[in-house]
Amino acid sequence: MENNNDLDQVQEPVEQTPETDAFEGETAKGTALYPSDTGLLPPMTRQVLVHLLKGPYFDRRTSTKLWDELKTNESTIRSRLSDLYLDLLIDDEIGVAFCRKPDLGDHDAPTLLSTARLKFLDSAVLLELRERLMRSRADGERAFVTVADLGDMLRLYDRAAESDAKAFNNHLTSIRKRLIERRILIELSSGDSLEISPILPLLFPTADIARLRQAYIERMASQAETPEEAQKIRERYAPQQGLTDIVLEAITEEETLADE
């Protein structure tokens, strides 16, 4: 699965502008936008807040003007988000910013952030996408995948790949759709290639990829019908690694591998 480096020269993400730029260029504080408007922030700062709250992240490529506004009024934006029990993470290197729930200790508070538990196969593909992205970043390149690439990644973990082609294709279609909806994969203006979002390592962090993969292998082995089949799975996917006793909440719930 090699990167399609040629795409780096000719394709850009489809979403290049924010949904509305109606107030870009407005900078005066206290400008009322409607009769009952008592807001104190200039319109562009409000737009930045909306993009951050809408999530899942704000990409510098969406609007360089709004990104500059974010950097200029970062302290004010952080303060407004803090009032809502939200922390702001900005990565200037890759040009992304997003909100996250801070560690509130024993303080119980509601959250505006939506959360979604990843299915086993989704998280397994995310692991492979993360590694693809990290390899590309090490070479100073953007990372792209095709549907065929996603199929190769999924085939490593989906038992339906060997026994039920229709189920496997359904899994692949559903995973692709969900990752696009969450902007982990970004559709391009042409072709069937997708860009892997540079925010993935921030949304899906792990200090030990090998240990996490081993946990997935053990999950697959636990689904085996016989001890012999389980051993073959371990040998096939991790012949060089010893077994690792890991308990991961995301993959130890009672669920099937089928995409429901």
Side-chain angles (χ1 to χ4, degrees):
M1 296 189 298
E2 296 295 329
N3 289 346
N4 190 347
N5 295 330
D6 291 337
L7 290 171
D8 192 27
Q9 303 298 322
V10 299
Q11 296 184 347
E12 294 294 336
V14 172
E15 295 184 358
Q16 287 295 304
T17 59
E19 292 183 359
T20 173
D21 292 335
F23 300 112
E24 281 203 1
E26 291 274 7
T27 58
K29 292 185 178 181
T31 302
L33 305 178
Y34 48 93
S36 59
D37 182 6
T38 59
L40 299 177
L41 297 179
M44 285 185 65
T45 309
R46 300 186 196 190
Q47 286 197 46
V48 173
L49 278 171
V50 171
H51 279 283
L52 290 170
L53 291 171
K54 182 179 178 181
Y57 61 90
F58 175 56
D59 191 324
R60 178 169 54 201
R61 294 175 297 183
T62 300
S63 171
T64 56
K65 289 183 179 179
L66 291 182
W67 183 267
D68 291 342
E69 185 73 12
L70 168 64
K71 298 299 296 179
T72 299
N73 290 318
E74 180 180 339
S75 60
T76 299
I77 292 170
R78 284 188 181 277
S79 178
R80 294 298 188 275
L81 291 174
S82 294
D83 287 338
L84 300 175
Y85 299 107
L86 294 173
D87 191 17
L88 174 64
L89 189 147
I90 301 175
D91 192 312
D92 286 302
E93 181 181 357
I94 62 177
V96 294
F98 63 95
C99 298
R100 63 182 177 183
K101 185 177 180 181
D103 183 2
L104 299 173
D106 296 330
H107 182 71
D108 186 21
T111 180
L112 289 170
L113 299 181
S114 60
T115 58
R117 178 172 295 281
L118 292 171
K119 295 177 181 291
F120 169 73
L121 293 178
D122 291 52
S123 57
V125 171
L126 276 176
L127 181 67
E128 297 297 324
L129 289 172
R130 187 186 190 279
E131 289 199 353
R132 168 74 71 89
L133 175 63
M134 298 307 291
R135 289 196 302 269
S136 296
R137 288 180 62 181
D139 295 332
E141 300 172 349
R142 291 157 61 189
F144 302 93
V145 290
T146 64
V147 175
D149 293 334
L150 289 176
D152 290 339
M153 295 174 180
L154 179 60
R155 193 169 286 108
L156 294 172
Y157 302 95
D158 190 353
R159 295 175 65 193
E162 298 180 357
S163 59
D164 191 335
K166 182 177 179 180
F168 176 78
N169 288 330
N170 288 339
H171 296 172
L172 178 59
T173 299
S174 297
I175 290 172
R176 177 182 177 275
K177 179 180 178 181
R178 285 193 291 270
L179 294 183
I180 290 175
E181 289 175 347
R182 293 165 183 165
R183 294 183 64 193
I184 299 299
L185 293 175
I186 303 171
E187 292 183 296
L188 301 174
S189 57
S190 61
D192 70 341
S193 293
L194 302 160
E195 182 175 4
I196 304 173
S197 171
I199 202 175
L200 183 53
L202 302 177
L203 296 179
F204 189 60
T206 176
D208 191 341
I209 294 295
R211 285 170 57 86
L212 185 56
R213 174 175 284 111
Q214 187 64 47
Y216 289 149
I217 294 170
E218 285 303 299
R219 168 60 186 269
M220 289 189 292
S222 72
Q223 299 287 329
E225 297 180 358
T226 65
E228 291 76 16
E229 182 184 352
Q231 184 59 31
K232 287 181 179 179
I233 290 174
R234 296 184 179 111
E235 292 175 353
R236 176 181 178 183
Y237 294 112
Q240 78 284 5
Q241 300 175 16
L243 301 183
T244 307
D245 183 16
I246 304 174
V247 178
L248 293 175
E249 180 182 2
I251 63 172
T252 53
E253 290 187 333
E254 290 297 326
E255 60 180 16
T256 67
L257 293 181
D259 187 1
E260 301 177 350

